[in-house]
């Protein structure tokens, strides 16, 4: 166990090292940060002074070495646009992103498990077919579009009037097709402060309304995937010998489904799920941009647009770290659920 | 739609009997969304639209532009040209800063001195030698040479609270230092004379303003008590926020959504012709053919500016044939876009290029409205005079590096004159490039005409504004005849608000809405 964790720590360091080298290597293609800092009529001589001050004229290795020495002391440099240490900037934006990811994860878990299990138990029911059909559509629509459609429907509202509105039934049908709007279209509102840089949207009903649309659109990518995954695994488990044996013994179907079969269904789902949480963090870039959600994704896009290289590097390294941590956790949980798995990979 | 904290019950009744004006009962909060928030609270850190918008909220300039390019007195009440290089300015009395310090002539002198140190502003303020304090409310601004643009510059002098910004911080740093990349005192603390005080700021998330109780301009009709500024970079989201009633005022409005907002009865749309010229340079150093004025003219004849403005920009642009927009002293009303394909072909033949040639072209794809599409349209139009265009479009962060390297034969740029003056265009875009003087810094055409340069230098020393205007119009004519560049259009500006927010009187072509004077009507 300890050996495993130490090994993972080295993995994390290696991942962060590789990311930082790559990020540094491409920085010349990310644009000129000076251009973003000064007005258009500032003469070249002034720009040169600034460039020198920021050390942008030094050769690659010198710049990287300076960065690496500081990074070893947890100093990742100053953001050009926020004028603050980049770690502080990222930490300030982190809670918003984590809350969004957490809300989406909850949605995914509480929707995909029942739907997946149901459509595995009753594969021919029309409701199962309906879920499968919708999930195909869900997988193929980009997040960006989902988000904009959600805003149009539930924040702005739409009114369709294909039926005569002056008749009772027409007005009723029109009302059925139209939406009111009224959900917040952007931002986090006034989140409640918890401690440090952490403010939360979970503390009040109003805060939750801000979370609903972004969480749904973020969940829309993963939800169909998990429904299909759970359904497929469950179907397979239902065919296995021990389930047949349990049925032969006359154990109630409910007990078989939810105690014996579901446990084994969840094994691969946990593995995939852990990896996908990392991916979800990456997808927040799109969702946060559309909803102006003040998290890391929005910050990262802003940093790219304004060539804030230190911030870009720090973000990439932290996201790399999140990936390594979630993978480690998944492996640990997997070990708990399935004791036959040996973490260190050596024969016992 | 607006938060109204009405004092309820007995208290309200008591106040009504005291016959207080209705506005004292209601609090008007303006929730607005721009595409970006100011990068700093230090108004001398960067010369940009966002910083100037902040300046007009938290500070007051000495004078400010009216809608028709006249000067309106603000902290300066009167001004008088003593001699060619000296201007005496009387300052408003009884003005206080947000910190409570009184506003005096010292603050003006201190501010100009600081502007001359700012990397972004020093070029504009170079002609000013010094500011002499005559008495507590009078200053004399001394220029190095006759300076016809002094009042234009004065629109950039937002007196800062010299006492507040003097001394050292706990960390031992000077409070007045201007730091581009770092945590300076002035970038986090602010004290001006303006209508609004900054109460809270989270960069990239929101800025909160509250009306300054002791604001000097008691005649202003403005009734906004508090402002929340949220940056919303995504066009679709910004529009959605307005349509859903989450915000009351947005800018800019993307051209694709103009119709949608116009047809919505709960919102208000204001558009006007802008001052930012969009143009293409033709690089004479890279392409020999461009040294022939006939070829440059042919390119100009081949471009259909009105077509681009009508169809591509959906009327959200004014076709241009020169730098200066209407209202500028150098605007030459005789110059019209000259689309004429036959004439273009004739000129190409005369110059010996009837079979055309090929050029490379670069344009940004996220800097100006429809920039990449405009470049594609121009490339297609040039194909009709047998010119093959190899077009590359880039995000702005990468584009400007390429621009500085003059990486293509034709490059797009948009330019707004910082001084709202015609000579500025020529100085940056078409003056003979000279690395030492900084002239022609963005002259990616390498166009050089010493006669016209001399005309600009003379104009900048001419204090008779009538005569100066004539010289600038002659300059535009010269550039037009020489076909120094390909002007396309002036990008229009658009703002939108909730129907009860009366933005029309406070917005202007400079794009600094005077929010202190904004009126929110009762619903």
């Amino acid at each position: 166990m300890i050996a495993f964790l130490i090994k993972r720590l080295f993995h994390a360091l290696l991942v962060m090292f590789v990311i930082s080298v790559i990020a540094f290597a491409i920085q010349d293609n990310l644009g000129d940060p000076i251009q973003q800092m000064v007005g258009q009529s500032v003469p070249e001589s002034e720009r040169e002074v600034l460039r020198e001050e920021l050390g942008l004229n030094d050769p690659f290795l010198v710049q990287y070495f300076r960065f690496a020495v500081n990074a070893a002391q947890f100093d990742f440099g100053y953001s050009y646009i926020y004028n603050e240490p980049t770690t502080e900037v990222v930490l300030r934006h982190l809670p918003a992103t984590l809350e969004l990811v957490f809300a989406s994860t909850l949605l995914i878990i509480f929707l995909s498990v029942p739907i997946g299990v149901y459509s595995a138990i009753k594969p021919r029911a029309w409701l199962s077919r309906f879920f499968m059909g919708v999930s195909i559509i869900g997988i193929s629509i980009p997040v960006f579009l989902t988000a904009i459609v959600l805003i149009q429907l539930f924040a702005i509202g739409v009114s369709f009037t294909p039926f005569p509105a002056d008749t009772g039934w027409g007005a009723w049908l029109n009302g059925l097709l139209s939406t009111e709007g009224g959900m917040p279209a952007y931002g986090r509102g006034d989140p409640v402060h918890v401690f440090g840089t952490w403010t939360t949207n979970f503390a009040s009903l109003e805060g939750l309304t801000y979370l609903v649309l972004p969480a749904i659109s973020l969940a829309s990518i993963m939800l169909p995937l998990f429904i299909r995954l759970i359904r497929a695994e469950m179907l397979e488990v239902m065919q296995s010998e021990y389930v047949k044996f349990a049925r032969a013994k006359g154990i109630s179907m409910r007990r078989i489904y939810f105690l014996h079969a579901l446990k084994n269904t969840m094994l691969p789902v946990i593995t995939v799920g852990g990896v996908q949480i990392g991916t979800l963090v990456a997808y927040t870039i799109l969702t946060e941009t559309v909803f102006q959600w003040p998290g890391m994704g929005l910050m990262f896009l802003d940093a790219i647009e304004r060539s804030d290289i230190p911030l870009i590097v720090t973000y990439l390294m932290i996201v790399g770290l999140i990936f390594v941590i979630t993978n480690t956790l998944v492996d640990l949980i997997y070990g708990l659920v399935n004791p036959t798995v040996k973490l260190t990979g050596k024969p016992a | 739609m607006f938060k109204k904290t009405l004092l309820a019950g007995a208290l309200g009744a008591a106040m009504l009997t005291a016959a207080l004006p209705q506005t004292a009962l209601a609090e008007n909060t303006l929730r607005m969304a721009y595409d970006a928030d100011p990068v700093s609270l230090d108004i001398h850190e960067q010369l940009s639209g966002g910083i100037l918008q902040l300046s007009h909220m938290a500070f007051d300039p000495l004078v400010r532009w009216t809608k028709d390019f006249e000067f309106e007195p603000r902290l300066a009440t009167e001004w008088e040209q003593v001699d060619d290089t000296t201007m005496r300015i009387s300052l408003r009395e009884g003005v206080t800063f947000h910190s409570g310090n009184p506003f005096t002539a010292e603050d003006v002198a201190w501010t100009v001195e600081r502007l001359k140190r700012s990397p972004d502003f020093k070029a504009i303020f170079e002609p000013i030698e010094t500011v002499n304090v005559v008495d507590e409310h009078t200053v004399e601004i001394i220029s190095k040479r006759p300076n016809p643009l002094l009042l234009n510059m004065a629109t950039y002098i937002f007196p800062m609270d010299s006492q507040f910004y003097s001394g050292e911080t706990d960390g031992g740093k000077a409070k007045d230092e201007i730091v581009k990349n770092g945590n300076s005192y002035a970038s986090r603390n602010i004290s001006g004379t303006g209508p609004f005080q900054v109460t809270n700021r989270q960069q990239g998330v929101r800025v909160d303003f509250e009306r300054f109780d002791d604001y000097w301009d008691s005649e202003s009709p403005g009734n906004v008590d508090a402002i929340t500024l949220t940056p919303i970079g995504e066009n679709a989201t910004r529009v959605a926020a307005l349509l859903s009633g989450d915000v009351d005022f947005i800018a800019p409005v993307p051209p694709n959504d103009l119709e949608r907002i116009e047809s919505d009865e709960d919102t208000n749309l204001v558009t006007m012709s802008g001052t930012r010229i969009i143009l293409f340079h033709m690089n004479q150093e890279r392409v020999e053919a461009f040294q022939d004025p006939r070829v440059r003219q042919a390119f100009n004849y081949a471009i259909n500016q009105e077509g681009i403005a009508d169809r591509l920009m959906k009327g959200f642009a004014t076709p241009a044939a020169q730098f200066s927009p209407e209202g500028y002293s150098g605007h030459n009303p005789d110059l019209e876009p000259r689309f004429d394909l036959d004439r273009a072909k004739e000129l190409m033949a005369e110059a010996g290029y009837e079979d055309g040639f090929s050029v490379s072209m670069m344009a940004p794809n996220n800097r100006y409205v429809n920039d990449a599409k405009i470049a594609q349209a121009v490339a297609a139009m040039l194909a009709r005079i047998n010119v093959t265009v190899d077009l590359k479009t880039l995000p702005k962060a990468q584009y400007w590096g390429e621009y500085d390297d003059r990486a293509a034969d034709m490059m797009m740029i948009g330019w707004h004159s910082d001084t709202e003056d015609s000579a500025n265009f020529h100085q940056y875009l078409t003056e003979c490039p000279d690395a030492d003087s900084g002239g022609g810094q963005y002259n990616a055409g390498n166009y050089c005409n010493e006669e016209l340069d001399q005309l600009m230098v003379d104009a900048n020393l001419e204090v008779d504004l009538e005569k100066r205007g004539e010289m600038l119009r002659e300059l535009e004519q010269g550039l037009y005849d020489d076909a120094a560049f390909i002007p396309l259009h002036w990008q229009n500006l658009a703002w939108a608000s909730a129907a009860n927010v009366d933005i029309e009187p406070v917005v202007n072509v400079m794009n600094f809405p005077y929010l202190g004077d904004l009126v929110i009507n009762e619903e």
Side-chain angles (χ1 to χ4, degrees), chain B residues 379-393:
Chain B
M381 287 169 184
L382 291 176
R384 296 170 72 181
I385 54 168
N386 300 324
V387 172
T388 321
V389 177
D390 171 23
L391 171 66
K392 189 175 173 191
T393 61

Side-chain angles (χ1 to χ4, degrees), chain B residues 23-94:
Chain B
T23 47
L25 293 173
E27 184 168 320
N28 286 324
T29 301
L30 177 74
R31 296 161 302 163
M32 62 183 206
Y34 280 154
D35 54 344
D37 58 339
V39 293
S40 167
L41 290 183
D42 184 351
I43 55 168
H44 294 166
E45 194 174 312
Q46 191 183 70
L47 175 47
S48 65
I51 288 284
L52 288 169
Q53 282 154 2
L54 170 71
S55 305
H56 278 282
M57 292 167 79
F59 295 82
D60 281 301
L62 290 182
V63 294
R64 74 180 183 190
W65 295 104
T66 63
K67 281 197 175 202
D68 32 14
F69 292 101
E70 301 287 326
F71 295 106
E72 180 188 348
R74 297 302 285 172
L75 293 184
T77 49
E78 276 168 47
W79 50 89
E80 173 197 6
Q81 197 81 39
V82 181
D83 57 46
D84 267 2
T85 55
T86 309
M87 184 178 274
R88 181 184 287 249
I89 295 178
S90 312
L91 301 171
R92 196 172 292 278
E93 295 180 25

Side-chain angles (χ1 to χ4, degrees), chain A residues 52-70:
Chain A
E52 195 62 48
E53 248 173 52
L54 294 176
L56 294 173
N57 285 337
D58 297 337
F60 172 77
L61 281 178
V62 175
Q63 286 194 44
Y64 185 75
F65 187 70
R66 189 168 51 218
F67 168 80
V69 168
N70 288 334

Side-chain angles (χ1 to χ4, degrees), chain A residues 16-272:
Chain A
M16 288 172 83
F17 170 71
V18 172
I19 288 176
S20 69
V21 171
I22 294 176
F24 252 78
I26 59 168
Q27 64 167 316
D28 280 343
N29 299 318
L30 292 176
D32 179 8
I34 305 292
Q35 183 68 46
Q36 304 298 315
M37 280 185 221
V38 299
Q40 58 178 6
S41 46
V42 171
E44 186 52 38
S45 51
E46 289 293 335
R47 290 167 196 249
E48 198 49 43
V49 171
L50 260 174
R51 215 166 274 144
E52 195 62 48
E53 248 173 52
L54 294 176
L56 294 173
N57 285 337
D58 297 337
F60 172 77
L61 281 178
V62 175
Q63 286 194 44
Y64 185 75
F65 187 70
R66 189 168 51 218
F67 168 80
V69 168
N70 288 334
Q73 303 160 36
F74 297 104
D75 171 10
F76 292 90
Y78 249 65
S79 155
Y80 296 152
I81 49 178
Y82 289 91
N83 292 341
E84 277 177 87
T86 52
T87 37
E88 267 178 40
V89 177
V90 174
L91 285 182
R92 200 171 59 233
H93 288 88
L94 187 64
T97 298
L98 290 186
E99 288 209 336
L100 182 56
V101 170
F102 178 65
S104 298
T105 312
L106 285 186
L107 274 179
I108 292 173
I109 292 175
F110 286 112
L111 287 176
S112 68
V113 174
I115 294 177
V117 170
Y118 176 80
S119 41
I121 297 173
K122 296 220 158 71
R124 281 178 226 292
W126 67 267
L127 199 58
S128 304
R129 289 166 198 263
F130 170 76
F131 281 136
M132 287 305 110
V134 170
S135 71
I136 281 279
I137 298 173
I139 286 181
S140 29
I141 295 180
V143 200
F144 204 77
L145 191 65
T146 316
I148 289 188
V149 169
L150 284 175
I151 290 179
Q152 180 68 49
L153 287 179
F154 299 110
I156 302 175
V158 285
S159 62
F160 284 114
T161 48
F163 304 107
D166 42 7
T167 59
W169 61 272
W172 183 77
L173 280 173
N174 284 339
L176 214 59
L177 284 174
S178 307
T179 52
E180 269 285 316
M183 293 291 283
Y186 77 97
R188 287 184 85 185
D190 288 305
V192 179
H193 184 256
V194 185
F195 68 86
T197 60
W198 184 25
T199 54
T200 183
N201 272 55
F202 284 98
S204 67
L205 205 60
E206 202 207 334
L208 285 174
T209 60
Y210 281 89
L211 202 52
V212 173
L213 295 186
I216 291 178
S217 56
L218 185 58
S220 72
I221 329 152
M222 296 296 168
L223 188 56
L225 184 77
F226 276 91
I227 292 176
R228 300 184 86 82
L229 182 69
I230 290 172
R231 174 177 173 269
E233 288 298 327
M234 187 85 173
L235 278 176
E236 202 180 303
V237 172
M238 295 300 288
Q239 300 300 320
S240 64
E241 297 292 325
Y242 77 87
V243 171
K244 284 182 188 157
F245 181 64
R247 286 171 77 167
K249 264 176 48 175
I251 297 173
S252 78
M253 286 315 280
R254 175 177 295 231
R255 208 175 146 81
I256 296 176
Y257 289 142
F258 295 103
L259 194 76
H260 301 290
L262 189 60
K263 234 186 198 172
N264 282 306
T265 303
M266 292 318 281
L267 279 180
V269 175
I270 290 173
T271 323
V272 177

Side-chain angles (χ1 to χ4, degrees), chain B residues 11-312:
Chain B
L11 185 58
M15 290 185 93
L16 277 177
T17 46
L20 275 175
Q22 192 66 35
T23 47
L25 293 173
E27 184 168 320
N28 286 324
T29 301
L30 177 74
R31 296 161 302 163
M32 62 183 206
Y34 280 154
D35 54 344
D37 58 339
V39 293
S40 167
L41 290 183
D42 184 351
I43 55 168
H44 294 166
E45 194 174 312
Q46 191 183 70
L47 175 47
S48 65
I51 288 284
L52 288 169
Q53 282 154 2
L54 170 71
S55 305
H56 278 282
M57 292 167 79
F59 295 82
D60 281 301
L62 290 182
V63 294
R64 74 180 183 190
W65 295 104
T66 63
K67 281 197 175 202
D68 32 14
F69 292 101
E70 301 287 326
F71 295 106
E72 180 188 348
R74 297 302 285 172
L75 293 184
T77 49
E78 276 168 47
W79 50 89
E80 173 197 6
Q81 197 81 39
V82 181
D83 57 46
D84 267 2
T85 55
T86 309
M87 184 178 274
R88 181 184 287 249
I89 295 178
S90 312
L91 301 171
R92 196 172 292 278
E93 295 180 25
V95 176
T96 45
F97 286 105
H98 299 159
S99 64
N101 295 330
F103 162 67
T104 67
E106 283 297 338
D107 297 309
V108 177
W110 187 89
T111 303
V112 173
E113 185 271 329
R114 191 166 188 265
L115 280 164
K116 284 176 73 67
R117 278 191 286 130
S118 157
D120 279 48
F121 286 89
K122 65 162 54 146
I124 294 180
F125 283 87
E126 186 273 333
I128 293 183
E129 175 77 56
T130 184
V131 176
N132 292 333
V133 174
V134 178
D135 62 39
E136 201 167 316
H137 291 103
T138 314
V139 290
E140 273 181 0
I141 299 185
I142 316 287
S143 303
K144 290 178 183 161
R145 40 188 183 270
N147 183 0
L149 293 178
L150 193 66
L151 282 177
N152 299 43
M153 291 179 195
T155 63
Y156 281 116
I157 304 177
F158 296 87
M160 293 170 79
D161 189 342
S162 60
Q163 281 180 48
F164 180 82
Y165 290 104
S166 292
E168 284 189 354
T169 62
D170 296 338
K173 287 192 175 157
K175 285 185 177 174
D176 66 342
E177 67 174 350
I178 304 171
V179 183
K180 275 277 181 199
N181 171 43
N183 192 350
S184 67
Y185 179 79
S187 69
R188 305 243 170 262
N189 299 281
I190 186 165
S191 171
T193 59
F196 295 102
Q197 270 176 292
V198 177
T199 51
N200 176 33
R201 171 170 178 260
Q202 276 174 279
Q203 191 168 12
V205 180
R206 65 191 280 174
V207 192
D208 293 317
F209 298 88
E210 227 165 70
R211 196 164 186 97
F212 177 41
D213 290 335
D214 297 324
Y215 187 49
W216 60 269
D217 190 358
S218 51
E219 270 154 43
S220 161
N223 66 355
V224 177
D225 302 302
I227 295 181
T228 308
L229 164 63
T230 316
I232 302 185
E234 193 58 45
N235 280 335
T237 314
R238 194 163 57 247
V239 172
L242 176 74
L243 292 178
S244 66
D246 282 349
V247 298
D248 314 310
F249 175 38
I250 63 166
V253 182
N256 289 338
D257 287 311
L258 291 170
E259 244 169 78
R260 194 167 159 209
I261 290 177
E262 184 117 63
S263 63
D264 189 314
E265 49 194 58
D266 297 328
T267 57
N268 210 343
L269 177 74
V270 180
T271 59
M272 61 178 75
S273 178
T275 56
R276 185 188 296 280
I277 178 86
I278 307 291
L279 58 91
F280 268 106
H281 273 307
M282 296 168 280
N283 196 319
Q284 304 184 19
E285 205 173 40
R286 293 174 56 103
V287 180
E288 209 193 324
F290 285 147
Q291 289 170 11
D292 188 334
R294 287 171 301 188
V295 174
R296 300 198 301 266
Q297 280 159 4
F299 272 54
N300 263 287
Y301 279 111
I303 306 299
N304 180 359
Q305 280 97 338
E306 307 204 338
I308 292 176
D310 276 358
R311 261 159 277 153
L312 226 164

